[in-house]
């Protein structure tokens, strides 16, 4: 079966991953794991208390079979009600202690995962933009949700269980030696043989589980992608294609499910048969020992109870190796993420950039060691002037804006404001004085109020202030017509409002920020004529009294700019006012003629 990577080769790859994970929990992994736990500042008292309660419950469960032995042997002389009550009471106490231990350790684990997720999220949100360029959103979500849970499970569940189960195995062996060493020898041989018989089936079940996870992950990925882009599917008449893609993933999942059903159907009877044969063989030998007067019925009953303890404990300890492998991988991924370089928002000076000239001096940039995106780009924007960037798509205009927002650092050259290097100014100070409106301005799920004040945590804004900026952005009327007005929910990515309305809310947000430098990236490119006119009026109002940088393909929107820079293949090939470029720059002149004709 080649579907979904579920052939034998796929299984061996998964096994290799697990084996590598088991081998990987070496001193380095342990050090990283302990470092992660220490970082969360856990309540160690809860951990110690949970372990002690668990060990106490285990100790009691070791005493009970010993008492049952004496109780069974005394039945010939009558039922000792007091002893029966004691055994029942100890069973209840052991179960109660186990429950209490699970609660205490559960709270301990939840504290750890809360602290770890908070730290991972705080790290993620401060990572550089370049980090997100190289990774998928789902991968980062997995670090936040799944990997932190694996670490929590190991420290709060698997490790305490390992302590108690080791005690249970050693204690059971100790008491079994005292009760009947001959029967113990038979058990010592029989139990490993049973696990050796079961191991291939358990490994096969593990392979099927991995295959199911892969198939389920593929199906969820297709479903998430399709549902998030449902408008594209419908507008492209791609329902059949989306259905076919999902059907293939569902079929793959079905095939794995059938194999899993067959395995589950066979596994339980085989396990039951193996267990019954083991118990029957041990009972048969035990009856023989009773018949020959070597031991009593009570001893046999006690030995069987200890055997049940051992089988359960060995199974749990076998699962601990898998938990270690998972936690090792998760620890490595979280540690790697936390070790990434991040933006230091407050490092640098707090500088007022109002009425200062912005300059780019011979800036070059490439995303990696490949071809340069920008090559010795220089430009100047005087205070309160309008500077535009024009040129063919892919020339580097948006990359210049990314440099200005300091999402990336130039590989050479520098940006200055008022003669001071921009890198000497703290990111928090710099970005708080910049407003950005793009052709598809980001709108967060939430209310209009939430979107207007997003990122503005310095103070509370009154409704009057919000209505004022909406009016300046020509957005007041449509917000007033909404049922909840400022508290109207806009939906994920603003799907409940039109493109023009999203743009005007973004402009209102820029008004509220009152930026010293305004950057407009094709802000009217994707709008209809009516919406474009409204948005352009709002932009004209917003641009007054500010240094404004504009990217535009529609040259009609930048003819009045104080200076236009024409960007081709990452280089400035022309600069001047509109009329000057029409005369001096052939490609710019061609663009003007084409747009006039159109």
């Amino acid at each position: 079966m080649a579907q979904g990577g579920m052939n034998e080769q796929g299984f061996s790859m998964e096994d290799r991953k697990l084996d590598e994970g088991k081998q990987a929990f070496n001193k380095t992994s342990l050090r990283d794991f302990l470092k992660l736990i220490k970082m969360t500042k856990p309540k160690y008292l809860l951990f110690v208390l949970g372990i002690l309660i668990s060990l106490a419950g285990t100790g009691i469960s070791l005493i009970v079979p010993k008492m049952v032995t004496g109780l069974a042997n005394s039945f010939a002389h009558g039922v000792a009600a007091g002893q029966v009550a004691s055994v029942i009471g100890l069973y209840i106490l052991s179960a109660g202690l186990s429950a209490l231990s699970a609660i205490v350790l559960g709270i301990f684990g939840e504290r750890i995962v809360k602290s770890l997720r908070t730290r991972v999220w705080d790290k993620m949100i401060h990572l550089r933009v370049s980090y997100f360029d190289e990774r998928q959103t789902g991968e980062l979500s997995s670090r936040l949700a799944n990997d932190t849970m694996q670490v929590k499970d190991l420290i709060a569940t698997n490790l305490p269980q390992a302590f108690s189960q080791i005690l249970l195995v050693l204690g059971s062996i100790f008491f079994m030696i005292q009760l009947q060493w001959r029967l113990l020898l038979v058990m010592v041989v029989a139990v490993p043989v049973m696990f050796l018989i079961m191991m291939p089936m358990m490994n096969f079940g593990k392979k099927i589980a991995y295959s199911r996870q892969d198939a389920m992950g593929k199906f969820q990925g297709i479903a998430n992608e399709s549902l998030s882009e449902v408008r594209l599917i419908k507008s492209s008449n791609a329902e059949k294609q989306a259905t076919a893609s999902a059907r293939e993933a569902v079929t793959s999942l079905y095939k794995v499910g059938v194999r899993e059903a067959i395995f589950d159907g066979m596994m339980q009877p085989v396990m039951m048969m193996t267990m019954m044969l083991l118990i029957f063989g041990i009972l048969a030998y035990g009856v023989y020992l009773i018949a020959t007067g070597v031991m009593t019925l009570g001893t046999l009953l006690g030995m069987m109870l200890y055997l049940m303890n051992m089988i359960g404990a060995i199974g749990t300890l076998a699962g601990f190796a898998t938990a270690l492998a998972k936690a090792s991988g998760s620890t490595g991924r979280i540690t790697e993420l936390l070790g990434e370089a991040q933006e230091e928002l407050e490092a640098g000076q707090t500088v007022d950039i109002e009425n200062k000239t912005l300059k780019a001096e011979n800036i070059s940039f490439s995303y990696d060691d490949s071809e340069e995106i920008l090559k010795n780009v220089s430009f100047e924007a005087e205070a309160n002037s309008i500077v535009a960037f024009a040129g063919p798509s892919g020339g580097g205009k948006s990359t210049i804006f990314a440099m200005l927002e300091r999402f990336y650092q130039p590989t050479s050259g520098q940006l200055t404001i008022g003669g001071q290097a921009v890198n000497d100014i703290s990111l928090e100070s710099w970005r708080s004085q910049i407003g950005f409106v793009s052709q598809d301005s980001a709108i967060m799920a939430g209310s209009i109020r939430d979107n207007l004040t997003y990122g503005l945590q310095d103070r509370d804004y009154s409704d009057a202030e919000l209505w004022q900026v909406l009016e300046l952005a020509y957005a007041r009327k449509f917000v007033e017509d909404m049922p909840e007005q400022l508290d109207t929910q806009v939906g994920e990515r603003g799907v409940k409002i039109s493109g023009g309305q999203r743009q005007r809310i973004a402009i209102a947000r820029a008004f509220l920020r009152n930026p010293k430098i305004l950057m407009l990236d094709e802000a009217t490119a994707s709008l209809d004529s009516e919406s474009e006119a409204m948005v352009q009026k709002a932009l004209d109002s917003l641009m007054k009294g500010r240094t404004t940088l504009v990217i535009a393909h529609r040259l009609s929107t930048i003819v009045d700019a104080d200076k236009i820079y024409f960007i081709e293949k990452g280089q400035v090939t022309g600069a001047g006012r509109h009329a000057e470029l029409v005369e001096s720059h052939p490609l710019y002149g061609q663009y003007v003629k084409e747009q006039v004709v159109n």
Side-chain angles (χ1 to χ4, degrees), residues 39-41 106-122 144-145 148-149 151-152:
M39 194 183 296
T40 64
K41 299 179 180 178
I107 294 172
F108 171 76
E110 290 302 325
R111 283 174 174 267
I112 284 179
V113 79
K114 176 195 171 190
S115 177
L116 193 55
R117 282 176 178 161
T118 300
R119 186 173 287 271
V120 170
W121 174 254
D122 186 62
L144 191 62
T148 53
M149 183 61 74
V151 173
K152 171 248 182 182

Side-chain angles (χ1 to χ4, degrees), residues 25 28-37 116 147-148 150-152 154 323-338:
F25 208 86
T28 302
S29 298
L30 180 60
R31 185 167 60 247
D32 289 341
F33 178 76
L34 294 176
K35 183 180 177 181
L36 273 186
I37 299 302
L116 193 55
D147 286 340
T148 53
Q150 294 291 353
V151 173
K152 171 248 182 182
L154 180 64
L324 267 181
K326 291 179 179 178
S328 174
S330 297
T331 298
R333 288 188 291 268
I334 294 175
T335 302
E336 180 186 2
L337 186 147
L338 293 176

Side-chain angles (χ1 to χ4, degrees), residues 365-373 411:
F365 173 74
S366 61
Y367 288 103
D368 45 40
D369 295 331
S370 58
E371 182 181 357
E372 284 187 322
I373 307 299
T411 51

Side-chain angles (χ1 to χ4, degrees), residues 335-369:
T335 302
E336 180 186 2
L337 186 147
L338 293 176
E340 289 286 338
Q342 69 179 56
E343 293 181 333
E344 299 295 338
L345 298 180
E346 299 178 358
Q349 304 172 24
T350 299
V351 176
D352 185 354
I353 63 174
E354 190 170 14
N355 296 322
K356 292 183 178 180
T357 298
L358 175 67
K359 283 185 180 181
E361 301 172 356
N362 298 313
I363 284 181
S364 296
F365 173 74
S366 61
Y367 288 103
D368 45 40
D369 295 331

Side-chain angles (χ1 to χ4, degrees), residues 40-182:
T40 64
K41 299 179 180 178
K43 297 285 185 181
Y44 291 110
L45 180 61
L46 283 177
F47 180 71
V48 173
L49 182 62
I51 291 290
L52 290 176
I53 294 173
S54 176
L55 293 179
T58 302
I60 291 173
S61 67
L62 286 170
I63 296 172
V64 171
K66 184 82 171 175
M67 294 181 64
V68 168
T69 300
L71 181 63
N73 289 333
S74 67
F75 279 165
H77 308 291
V79 176
Q83 282 186 292
V84 173
S86 297
V87 169
I88 294 172
L90 286 175
Y91 265 124
I92 293 173
L93 179 59
S94 176
L97 289 174
S98 296
L100 181 59
S101 171
I103 292 171
V104 172
L105 291 170
I107 294 172
F108 171 76
E110 290 302 325
R111 283 174 174 267
I112 284 179
V113 79
K114 176 195 171 190
S115 177
L116 193 55
R117 282 176 178 161
T118 300
R119 186 173 287 271
V120 170
W121 174 254
D122 186 62
K123 180 70 178 186
M124 279 184 180
I125 213 68
H126 288 91
L127 287 171
R128 295 170 178 168
V129 171
S130 56
Y131 180 86
F132 298 95
D133 292 340
E134 300 170 0
R135 287 161 180 84
Q136 295 181 337
T137 305
E139 179 186 347
L140 297 176
S141 298
S142 181
R143 297 296 83 77
L144 191 62
N146 299 333
D147 286 340
T148 53
M149 183 61 74
Q150 294 291 353
V151 173
K152 171 248 182 182
D153 285 344
L154 180 64
I155 188 68
T157 303
N158 303 119
L159 196 59
Q161 281 184 350
F163 287 145
S164 62
Q165 298 309 305
I166 289 172
L167 175 62
L168 193 60
V169 170
L170 295 177
S172 295
I173 292 174
F174 173 77
F175 283 112
M176 290 167 82
I177 291 173
Q178 291 184 333
L179 288 174
Q180 179 48 252
W181 64 269
R182 295 181 180 85

